[in-house]
Amino acid sequence: MDTDYKYEPKNGLTRWLDSRLPLMRFTSEHVLQFPTPKNLNYFWTFGFILTMCLVTQIITGIILAMHYAPSTLLAFDSVEHIMRNVNYGWLIRYMHSNGASMFFLAVFIHMFRGLYYGSYKEPREVIWILGCIIYLLMIVTAFMGYVLPWGQMSFWGATVIINLVGTLPLIGESLTQMLLGGFAVDNPTLNRFFSLHYLLPFIIFGVVLLHIWALHVPGNNNPVGLSVQGKQDTVSFHPYYTVKDFFAYTVFLLLFCYFIFYNPNALGHADNYIEADAMVTPAHIVPEWYLLPFYAILRAVPDKLAGVLLMFGAIAVLFFLPWLDTAKVRSGRYRPIFRYFYVLFVIDCLILGYLGAQVPEGIYLFLSRVTTIYYFAFFLLVLPVLGRIEKVKPMPIGISNSELSTDMVAAE
Amino acid sequence: MSDTLDDDKPTRRDFLYITTGAFGVVGAASVAWPLIDQLNPDASVKAVSTIEVDISSIEPGSFLKVAWRGKPIYIRRRTTEEIAEAEKDDNLNLPDPQKDIDRVQKKEWLVVVGVCTHLGCIPIANQGEYEGWFCPCHGSHYDISGRIRKGPAPTNLEVPPYEFVSDSLIKIG
């Protein structure tokens, strides 16, 4: 975004630094004074909340790694050691384990916000795709992290998920062995998962920087979905949005603290407090709650390979969203029919999440098929067709001008 | 550059570019391979990929559960009635058709990998509608020959490679 504001070094020292490393200029122009649409609502605070989630996970994770032992003989005991002996170890571990859940909660809200307000549409396609990459990396990281405590659910969750790879024709079996480093989930698997679980958050951090870089080219989308037309439409990021973001984060922390201090195991599974046993399967293998919708899709199909492809397809389809949605109008506010389909889609995802935790038989199986069909139909049928036939509601002609116009192009 | 050079003709420099590039790619690939291959099962894992099991203590109608490659193996000594039952069902319309005789080396001994072919859980022996195995995870029923009869599992319980070293000793792997 072309910023009207230009940084002026105020004294000799900052002038000297500015001509060598323009760090102050960057901070000033891209953080403090960055022109941000003045009409952003609280759904726009989740970018900051997510950054804080990532920082929390990295800090607590590095500390946990100081006390954790990545070996099948020691892993489970070392986690209990953290919980019982390490000073505040229980707190740091609960921050990390519940932090993962809060991270996903925030990312879901962030993604649903983007979906509603059309934040993936031209010229923000690359921001959306980078976001999808971050989401994918988060899933992989969380999955590997869940294996590290070496409980029953760690072990069997990993077994089920890695066995999915085995369904691929020809290369399936040798690829599975390569991922496992053996014939079943064992010490080599645990060690490499630990190594990668430590690495991936830093990769995520790198992609987050790209995500923000890409965001700072066109600037933020906003609830009316219109482009910024001039200075009258923006306020500086600081103090307006720094304060708003911190306030929202504080409220978010209340929920986070509720889980840490009052219900730290509510989102986990009791079976993970039993040490991994390769010879005994728990009665119900369920992944963490944030993976349940995809687990439901996996089990909705009778054919194993088709189930696996559909599950990966459910994430892959997100990458094509900018081109699947043919509507030129960004914000869902002015798309009366889209709104119904959107609400239905949110409910659909919630039901899929519920079904992922049930045994796929009878009514649950039937429902997971219906919801899986709608999940894909929303992207592949509703969005492409709706953009062509839907009559949009009258829109304001600018962010600061509430005069209405039905001609979206004129408004731009 | 000299005007006399024919643009279409490969030059000495083109040759150098291509050979340098090719050597670079081969070099990078040869360094990459060890980095990838280290992921594969290592020597210590492969070393224990064969086990020998003493089966002399197994009574008819009972089974032994042993660990092989980190997975459970069921070695089941079947009674005459059980064998008859398994063979009786040979010609039924099975989800994964296989005759009982093709799944055993000696009719009395059934050796199968105790990993559900659905999503890798461990089925429980002597349970389910067919008194063979029952997987508690998603409800797959296997018969006395380890064949899938009902439920989401696509194929029969896998028969591992094994051989009888003697009447009382089986080598698996």
Side-chain angles (χ1 to χ4, degrees), chain A residues 156 279-285 299 358-361, chain B residues 74 114-116 118 120-125 127-128 133-142 152:
Chain A
W156 289 100
M279 296 294 131
V280 181
T281 311
H284 293 288
I285 300 178
R299 302 184 306 173
Q358 309 304 319
V359 180
E361 279 174 1
Chain B
Y74 283 106
V115 173
C116 183
H118 181 226
C121 299
I122 296 176
I124 304 163
Q127 278 194 24
W133 284 268
F134 172 70
C135 180
C137 289
H138 306 107
S140 293
H141 300 259
Y142 298 90

Side-chain angles (χ1 to χ4, degrees), chain A residues 97 100-101 142 146 267-269 286-293:
Chain A
S97 59
S101 285
Y146 195 55
L267 300 168
H269 199 294
V286 273
E288 289 278 79
W289 69 269
Y290 39 81
L291 300 176
L292 288 173

